[in-house]
Amino acid sequence: MIKELEKQIADTRAKLFEKLATLKNKKDILKSTELKSLYDEMKVIPNDHKASYGKLLNDLKNELTEASNEDNAGVDLEPIDVTAPADFNISLKDFPELLSSEKGSKNPITAEIDLLLDIFKTLGFSSIESPEIDNDYNMFSSLNFPEGHPARDDWDTFLTHEKDSKNKPFIAPAHTSTMQHRVLVSERAELEKGKPIAYVIPGRVFRNEDVDARHEHTFYQLEGIYVGKDITVANLLNILKVMFSKYFGKDIELKVQPFYFPFTEPSFELAVSCPFCDKKGCSVCSRSGWIELLGCGMVHPNVLEQAGINPAIYTGFAWGVGINRLVMIKYGIDEIRHFMTGNLEFLEQF
Ligand code: PHE
């Protein structure tokens, strides 16, 4: 009887190994019907043969387990613990391609923004960046642009297809003045405790303009806003004179002429004495000795009121200057489009 059983196991063994070769997941062999029926035999085998049959069957199972493991090399790897601490014993010398002699540098716009922010830090201004997508309220309504007012068209604003909660399209901000209301609201409590609001706001702005050597659809501005008690135009002009003189590294004169912005009253357009020729006239200033550089004015009472600040108690000033233009004048760059092209020959000069 045991001989018969031995043969049955031997036959099944051969079949099982044939089958194993065809299986994708080798472990499935241990669940095969053939193996299972060998085990089922146990129930009908006479007791005195059970032990030897059981041993043979166990040997076969072990053989199959081993074979299925070998063929599955790689499947049973330990899982990787991605939270385990990394091996930081890696030296840059192991990666010579990363040690090339060419170094990157800051884009001149970034470098000059850093410089401007440093200047204003010494004057006690905080800074915050403006976002690159905004809503109608921050771009227009909070800044005293009445609904449907033609001045809304002066900024050549790009609109998106997405609508905000008031069903107005989100916009690509056309100036950094979009931050005025936010800053006024967030600093109002401090203002009421006696601390003037003093902020500069660098940001990327967008205008649907025809592009040429002096006009880009995307450029950078630096906004400034200062609100306190007894603040006048004299304070505004003084801050701007300090800013330009520090930025160009020489004494700069200012010239103002009246202008119109809905969010400032009075509003001015400001020109600076040409830092290249000191008003003698050169190609940078188109022979006039002066360069028109920015818009500014006293914060409109409606803008203060909109932010919950009492214009009978507080006054302030604001300005917005194009950073690209400032950098172009400082370095004698005649093509605004260079900033955006990633042209290495241009960028490596800085
Ligand atoms: N936002 C104005 C512009 O982009 C500049 C400006 C800022 C004017 C703040 C007055 C006060 O032209």
Side-chain angles (χ1 to χ4, degrees), residues 238-273:
N238 188 48
I239 282 280
L240 292 178
K241 189 174 162 64
V242 170
M243 158 172 115
F244 287 123
S245 299
K246 285 198 182 224
Y247 183 71
F248 289 117
K250 54 160 54 179
D251 195 38
I252 297 287
E253 285 177 48
L254 307 181
K255 206 161 80 168
V256 287
Q257 58 185 39
F259 203 73
Y260 169 72
F261 295 108
F263 37 96
T264 44
E265 181 59 35
S267 304
F268 309 103
E269 194 172 57
L270 184 128
V272 298
S273 56

Side-chain angles (χ1 to χ4, degrees), residues 155 174-175 177 180 207 221 223-224 261 263-264 295-297 318-320:
W155 270 263
H175 56 182
S177 303
Q180 283 194 12
R207 288 188 195 178
Q221 280 191 330
E223 187 89 6
F261 295 108
F263 37 96
T264 44
C296 59
W319 77 86

Side-chain angles (χ1 to χ4, degrees), residues 181 184-185 188 192 302-311 314:
H181 180 77
L184 292 176
V185 169
R188 185 180 57 212
E192 282 162 4
N302 291 353
V303 174
L304 292 175
E305 234 161 44
Q306 189 68 218
I309 294 172
N310 185 347
Y314 300 101

Side-chain angles (χ1 to χ4, degrees), residues 115-128:
L115 174 64
L116 286 161
L117 295 186
D118 276 350
I119 293 174
F120 279 103
K121 207 171 171 182
T122 65
L123 298 172
F125 281 71
S126 305
S127 68
I128 184 170

Side-chain angles (χ1 to χ4, degrees), residues 73-308:
V75 172
D76 269 347
L77 284 181
E78 288 267 308
I80 295 173
D81 177 6
V82 291
T83 64
D87 174 10
F88 286 115
N89 259 338
I90 300 171
S91 163
L92 256 191
K93 289 196 207 77
D94 301 331
F95 301 92
E97 66 276 16
L98 295 180
L99 286 174
S100 101
S101 58
E102 284 174 44
K103 281 197 193 128
S105 60
K106 277 189 185 170
N107 184 286
I109 296 283
T110 312
E112 297 303 297
I113 289 177
D114 289 350
L115 174 64
L116 286 161
L117 295 186
D118 276 350
I119 293 174
F120 279 103
K121 207 171 171 182
T122 65
L123 298 172
F125 281 71
S126 305
S127 68
I128 184 170
E129 245 180 273
S130 73
E132 294 185 6
I133 198 81
D134 215 319
N135 57 22
D136 182 273
Y137 180 72
N138 286 304
M139 173 74 207
F140 293 123
S141 304
S142 70
L143 289 169
N144 192 39
F145 285 82
E147 201 71 48
H149 193 282
R152 287 179 174 237
D153 297 336
D154 291 345
W155 270 263
D156 302 310
T157 312
F158 286 112
L159 306 179
T160 73
H161 288 293
E162 287 297 311
K163 301 271 173 64
D164 64 17
S165 57
K166 299 202 175 94
N167 206 26
K168 296 255 183 164
F170 281 105
I171 52 160
H175 56 182
T176 42
S177 303
T178 47
M179 286 298 288
Q180 283 194 12
H181 180 77
R182 288 190 181 94
V183 166
L184 292 176
V185 169
S186 79
E187 299 303 308
R188 185 180 57 212
E190 290 293 304
L191 176 71
E192 282 162 4
K193 282 187 217 155
K195 184 171 171 268
I197 300 173
Y199 261 85
V200 278
I201 305 142
R204 182 142 74 149
V205 296
F206 312 87
R207 288 188 195 178
N208 189 6
E209 288 207 61
D210 289 337
V211 172
D212 63 26
R214 287 172 141 229
H215 298 92
E216 257 283 30
H217 48 70
T218 300
F219 56 101
Y220 290 80
Q221 280 191 330
L222 184 75
E223 187 89 6
I225 183 155
Y226 191 99
V227 176
K229 281 188 181 160
D230 304 320
I231 305 301
T232 68
V233 176
N235 300 120
L236 163 65
L237 297 181
N238 188 48
I239 282 280
L240 292 178
K241 189 174 162 64
V242 170
M243 158 172 115
F244 287 123
S245 299
K246 285 198 182 224
Y247 183 71
F248 289 117
K250 54 160 54 179
D251 195 38
I252 297 287
E253 285 177 48
L254 307 181
K255 206 161 80 168
V256 287
Q257 58 185 39
F259 203 73
Y260 169 72
F261 295 108
F263 37 96
T264 44
E265 181 59 35
S267 304
F268 309 103
E269 194 172 57
L270 184 128
V272 298
S273 56
C274 178
F276 279 96
C277 63
D278 292 326
K279 294 194 291 183
K280 286 187 201 77
C282 67
S283 61
V284 175
C285 56
S286 312
R287 320 251 155 245
S288 72
W290 294 91
I291 303 172
E292 266 167 25
L293 256 188
L294 61 70
C296 59
M298 300 304 290
V299 178
H300 197 289
N302 291 353
V303 174
L304 292 175
E305 234 161 44
Q306 189 68 218

